[in-house]
């Protein structure tokens, strides 16, 4: 994997709509019969950098800043188990500062900011992709600045369960019955009982051909995908794996799963293995307050610099989406 070069910092500002700070707004997207879905929208903004105050934290960003630019590319972000739209805010800010509109969703079924009662059920495997489609529908059909978007340039970034979500959105058809692979543990999740009773979700997984390129990191639920399940995933894909995620004792995650996905995909991916890294390195660097509250998530292996890594990660993601979505620099 390439080492981060100082020149990347300057390159991050080259785009069709370079901005001084990312605009940020929170929106509730309604659904048919279900709870509203919280999304965060970052966008190119000409205002000076500001701070966006949340209930328990502060993010860089300018609230409700007018969107600048036209024919802007759109990127969706999908979090992992118990995550939220804040988990990859630095990636969203990087893309928005470079002229992208970025939407991070709070998946109602398993966001840590909501009701987690169904987070370990089979519903996760079908509802998450539907959430992404709903967010895209909203942005293209109802978002007040929808005329500034280019509907032909849509990308996706997903981490952990979000990586699983990306594969499904891109055309994968997981074999949900194979989720029994995660049941041979002392704590049996509700999904294991559903499988034992043969109570599979009635809802089908959702694909969305409007997504033209994706970046996925440590995708979860690898055993649900074999070569046949992945045969229709043909969009350009950048795939990231953490070398030491197997040591993190997360049932759904294993570097071997990512290797097998990479080998089974019908397309050649832009594949990166991050050395000396655990699963959570893909989350934004933690503040001191968050590090004290969640040391397991925020503490990396000795010698690993998450801040430096994220500069490289975000630069690579930006370059990938620029190339694959045909976003030209001035």
């Amino acid at each position: 994997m390439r080492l981060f070069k100082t020149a990347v910092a300057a390159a991050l500002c080259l785009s069709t709509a370079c901005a001084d700070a990312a605009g940020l707004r929170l929106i509730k997207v309604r659904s048919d019969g279900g709870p509203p879905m919280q999304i965060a929208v970052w966008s190119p903004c000409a205002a000076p950098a500001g701070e966006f105050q949340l209930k328990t934290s502060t993010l860089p960003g300018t609230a409700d800043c007018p969107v600048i630019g036209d024919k802007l590319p759109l990127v969706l972000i999908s979090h992992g188990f118990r995550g939220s739209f804040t988990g990859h805010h630095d990636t969203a800010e990087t893309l928005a500062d470079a002229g992208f509109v970025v939407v991070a969703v709070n998946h109602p079924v398993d966001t840590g900011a909501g009701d987690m009662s169904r987070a370990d059920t089979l519903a996760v495997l079908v509802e998450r992709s539907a959430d992404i489609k709903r967010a895209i529908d909203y942005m293209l059909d109802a978002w007040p600045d929808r005329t500034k978007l280019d509907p032909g340039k849509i990308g996706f970034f997903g981490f952990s369960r979000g990586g699983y979500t990306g594969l499904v959105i891109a055309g994968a058809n997981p074999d949900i019955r194979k989720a029994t692979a995660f049941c041979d543990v002392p704590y049996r999740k509700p999904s294991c009982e559903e499988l034992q009773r043969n109570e599979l979700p009635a809802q089908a997984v959702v694909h969305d051909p409007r997504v033209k390129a994706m970046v996925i990191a440590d995708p979860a639920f690898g055993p649900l995908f074999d070569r046949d399940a992945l045969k229709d995933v043909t969009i350009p894909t950048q795939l990231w794996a953490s070398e030491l995620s197997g040591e993190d004792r997360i049932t759904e995650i294993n570097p071997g799963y990512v290797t097998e996905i990479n080998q089974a995909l019908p397309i050649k991916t832009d594949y990166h293995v991050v050395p000396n890294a655990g699963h959570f390195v893909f989350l934004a660097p933690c503040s001191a307050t968050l590090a004290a509250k969640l040391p397991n998530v925020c503490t990396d292996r000795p010698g690993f610099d998450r801040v430096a890594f994220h500069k490289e990660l975000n630069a690579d993601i930006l370059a990938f989406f620029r190339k694959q979505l045909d976003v030209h620099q001035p």
Side-chain angles (χ1 to χ4, degrees), residues 29 31 37 39 76 105-110 126-137 165 169 203 206:
V29 178
S31 62
M37 181 174 68
I39 66 173
L76 285 295
V105 307
N106 274 5
H107 291 284
V109 71
D110 63 354
V126 296
E127 292 185 13
R128 279 175 143 266
S129 57
D131 294 339
I132 298 301
K133 180 182 183 301
R134 189 178 1 147
I136 296 174
D137 289 344
T165 305
I169 280 289
Q203 179 181 348
V206 173

Side-chain angles (χ1 to χ4, degrees), residues 10-38:
L12 290 180
C13 194
L14 298 176
S15 76
T16 55
C18 187
D20 296 323
L24 176 57
R25 65 194 71 189
L26 305 184
I27 300 170
K28 295 275 191 178
V29 178
R30 296 187 179 186
S31 62
D32 296 331
M37 181 174 68
Q38 177 76 71

Side-chain angles (χ1 to χ4, degrees), residues 2-3 31 38 63 67 73 120-122 132 139 141 143 151 155 168-169 173 196 203 217 224 240 242 248 291 295 297:
R2 300 188 304 277
L3 294 175
S31 62
Q38 177 76 71
V67 179
D120 284 322
T121 69
L122 297 177
I132 298 301
M139 294 300 293
D141 299 336
W143 188 49
V168 173
I169 280 289
N173 291 293
Q196 190 171 7
Q203 179 181 348
L224 276 59
W240 293 79
S242 56
D248 292 332
V297 171

Side-chain angles (χ1 to χ4, degrees), residues 228-248:
D228 187 62
L230 294 170
K231 66 182 180 182
D232 295 326
V233 180
T234 57
I235 64 173
T237 299
Q238 186 177 81
L239 179 59
W240 293 79
S242 56
E243 182 186 38
L244 304 178
S245 62
E247 298 177 1
D248 292 332

Side-chain angles (χ1 to χ4, degrees), residues 22 24 42 50-52 58-62 89 93:
L24 176 57
W42 284 264
E51 291 185 340
F52 193 98
T58 301
L59 296 180
T62 303
H89 69 85
E93 292 152 13

